[in-house]
Amino acid sequence: MLILEFPNEKHRAAYDDLVRAWRQAETPTAPGRLFAGTDFDEFLSIVQRDLTASGPASVPAHLFFLADTDRATLFGAIQIRHHIDHPTVRESGGHIGYGICPGQRRKGYATTMLALAIVEAKKIGLGRLLVTCRDTNWGSRKVIESNGGVFERTTIDERQLARRYWISNKQ
């Protein structure tokens, strides 16, 4: 069964496997916090602090693993930012950043993970979600659109075109 889980001690071995496999396949980028720290303990400390982050350079956020409870496997991670009152996040980062390990892509995991994150975002009071992706990332575009994303416009993110989508989270 696929679920979102906040990182904890039981994920230690699966986290190491996930990060190792990801780094062997490509230079990891998103979600950036998945690769924060030099080891699992530091990573846990960072994602705990992110829950209550404050200050001009930070936004509070939850990071969740997409976990398969039947196999004790992690497929990727998704970060839900509590607000977008930050210049970079407001323009190109959005409320949600996610990634699936390269060896697990094109299996529907990202679509499921975003759907589960939309439910989590509602729990923290987010009624409308900004989700962005690179203009050339057809897989992410499909994932966002499959979860109700409505295209707003393109913008520039790290000198590349990015697409901005809004997902209504009100029911």
Side-chain angles (χ1 to χ4, degrees):
M1 172 195 231
L2 295 175
I3 62 170
L4 292 184
E5 285 189 310
F6 190 78
N8 61 66
E9 187 58 40
K10 78 176 185 178
H11 298 119
R12 182 178 294 274
Y15 170 83
D16 290 340
D17 292 344
L18 174 70
V19 170
R20 184 176 24 264
W22 209 314
R23 287 187 170 136
Q24 287 174 349
E26 68 183 23
T27 300
T29 57
R33 282 311 217 201
L34 178 62
F35 309 98
T38 58
D39 59 23
F40 185 73
D41 293 321
E42 188 175 359
F43 162 75
L44 275 182
S45 177
I46 290 167
V47 296
Q48 284 287 341
R49 280 195 315 264
D50 284 349
L51 294 171
T52 57
S54 62
S58 59
V59 174
H62 277 79
L63 184 123
F64 295 99
F65 291 132
L66 179 65
D68 182 333
T69 58
D70 297 329
R71 295 188 285 167
T73 303
L74 303 177
F75 296 111
I78 193 160
Q79 184 177 40
I80 304 169
R81 297 174 194 94
H82 297 192
H83 63 77
I84 56 172
D85 297 330
H86 181 280
T88 303
V89 175
R90 184 181 319 114
E91 183 59 24
S92 60
H95 288 100
I96 294 179
Y98 62 90
I100 296 292
C101 187
Q104 300 299 329
R105 292 179 185 157
R106 295 189 171 140
K107 298 178 182 180
Y109 294 133
T111 301
T112 298
M113 184 168 61
L114 181 55
L116 293 169
I118 291 167
V119 173
E120 292 297 325
K122 187 171 186 173
K123 291 177 186 177
I124 60 172
L126 297 174
R128 190 168 179 241
L129 305 169
L130 174 63
V131 185
T132 67
C133 68
R134 294 279 162 83
D135 189 56
T136 56
N137 189 338
W138 292 95
S140 251
R141 289 167 67 166
K142 183 178 176 186
V143 166
I144 296 166
E145 291 168 1
S146 294
N147 277 285
V150 176
F151 175 72
E152 177 193 50
R153 64 180 168 87
T154 56
T155 188
I156 301 294
D157 180 18
E158 297 177 7
R159 295 180 281 179
Q160 295 186 27
L161 282 177
R163 298 174 65 87
R164 291 169 49 96
Y165 291 88
W166 288 95
I167 297 174
S168 177
N169 201 15
K170 296 181 181 178
Q171 297 170 353

